[in-house]
Amino acid sequence: MGRQPCCDKVGLKKGPWTAEEDRKLINFILTNGQCCWRAVPKLAGLLRCGKSCRLRWTNYLRPDLKRGLLSDYEENMVIDLHSQLGNRWSKIASHLPGRTDNEIKNHWNTHIKKKLRKMGIDPLTHKPLSIVEQEDEEPLKKLENHQMPLQELIEKPLVEPTKESNIKNMEDDDQFMAINPEYSVEEVPLIDPECFGIFCNNSEMSSLSSSTATSSNSSNDSSFLKDLQFPDFDWSDNCGNNNGVDNIIENNMMSLWDIDDFSSWDLLLNDESSSTFGLF
DNA sequence: AAGGCGCCCAACCGCCGCGTG
DNA sequence: ACACGCGGCGGTTGGGCGCCT
């Protein structure tokens, strides 16, 4: 009946990941691709549950992740998307290449919420705070004046549904895209083996740094990448084209895999305890 | 110098939808 | 049809860090 449990929580490690664990996970994913997270910890030699591995990879180790604060453009996009999609962080993240739902959620809670409140906008409804406060008080006033039965108050939403909040309920992302074609951003691709090829090959590396100016200090950071030899890696579902570096450059995809994005790997690779990148 | 405080963010928790046996 | 696991999601937590007094 059913399947085996994903992990017997006994003896599994929790808390912050060590560099050694990161190396093991990266090495495993690069060798075997993303498949069956349940099996990953066992096969990779990690005392973690599959869920933890998946989270670590998607939120931190994936090389196509952007680092640093969200740009003004990204921030505005998040605000706009949030006004229409609500707290559906993964949907919002899917419109911002290189950003994770966790990152956006954190940024929203720590920065944008405050910013909007300062601007007098309610971060929940995206309406002016004065109007929201008014609407909040209205049902209570009615209750005090015995104009509204308690049951009705409980059932009544504090804020009347608006056009925006109706859109918020849209189940289908396609619907959103139909209304907002400007957000027509391709799904964030996973790493393309050709991209690794770029970093592995010295000549391609130099041609790349001369043809793209996205990374100001790539020459410094690239040294550790020059000898990278990535093992066979199945990116099956996510790398349809095989046109190599030219295609990547032509399609301006390099911003996704800017060498700066490998900062976390850089740390790992500079760890004296590590051997070669290929096998860690 | 050190203690208090608030901020930030990586990681965990619990729930849900879907697929599988 | 049902039970259960997997993967994904959103909410929450807590440790690390910097700033202030």
Side-chain angles (χ1 to χ4, degrees), chain A residues 147-162:
Chain A
Q147 289 173 1
M148 182 193 271
L150 182 60
Q151 187 59 30
E152 198 182 320
L153 172 70
I154 294 164
E155 284 165 4
K156 184 183 162 68
L158 286 176
V159 178
E160 293 291 340
T162 58

Side-chain angles (χ1 to χ4, degrees), chain A residues 37-50:
Chain A
W37 286 108
R38 178 178 154 248
V40 167
K42 205 173 183 181
L43 296 169
L46 291 162
L47 286 171
R48 298 271 181 176
C49 75

Side-chain angles (χ1 to χ4, degrees), chain A residues 178-210:
Chain A
I179 297 169
N180 302 275
E182 69 272 21
Y183 292 126
S184 182
V185 177
E186 293 293 321
E187 284 290 316
V188 181
L190 292 176
I191 319 164
D192 187 305
E194 292 296 333
C195 299
F196 284 120
I198 295 163
F199 299 125
C200 295
N201 183 303
N202 286 347
S203 59
E204 282 174 349
M205 174 72 91
S206 54
S207 73
L208 181 75
S209 55
S210 62

Side-chain angles (χ1 to χ4, degrees), chain A residues 123-229:
Chain A
L124 218 69
T125 59
H126 295 263
K127 286 179 171 183
L129 274 171
S130 52
I131 293 175
V132 174
E133 280 161 9
Q134 227 178 342
E135 285 174 342
D136 279 357
E137 284 166 13
E138 229 168 68
L140 291 172
K141 277 181 186 167
K142 281 187 182 176
L143 183 71
E144 280 169 16
N145 299 332
H146 306 289
Q147 289 173 1
M148 182 193 271
L150 182 60
Q151 187 59 30
E152 198 182 320
L153 172 70
I154 294 164
E155 284 165 4
K156 184 183 162 68
L158 286 176
V159 178
E160 293 291 340
T162 58
K163 189 188 168 192
E164 285 79 13
S165 59
N166 282 338
I167 297 168
K168 192 171 165 178
N169 290 330
M170 288 188 305
E171 287 304 314
D172 192 349
D173 207 28
D174 293 339
Q175 253 177 297
F176 172 82
M177 294 308 295
I179 297 169
N180 302 275
E182 69 272 21
Y183 292 126
S184 182
V185 177
E186 293 293 321
E187 284 290 316
V188 181
L190 292 176
I191 319 164
D192 187 305
E194 292 296 333
C195 299
F196 284 120
I198 295 163
F199 299 125
C200 295
N201 183 303
N202 286 347
S203 59
E204 282 174 349
M205 174 72 91
S206 54
S207 73
L208 181 75
S209 55
S210 62
S211 59
T212 60
T214 55
S215 176
S216 58
N217 58 347
S218 60
S219 57
N220 297 332
D221 293 341
S222 64
S223 56
F224 76 98
L225 290 159
K226 286 181 181 173
D227 299 323
L228 297 187
Q229 293 299 327

Side-chain angles (χ1 to χ4, degrees), chain A residues 10 20 72-74 110 157 162 184 186 243:
Chain A
V10 186
E20 180 61 25
D72 287 345
Y73 173 74
E74 286 175 313
T110 55
T162 58
S184 182
E186 293 293 321
N243 297 333

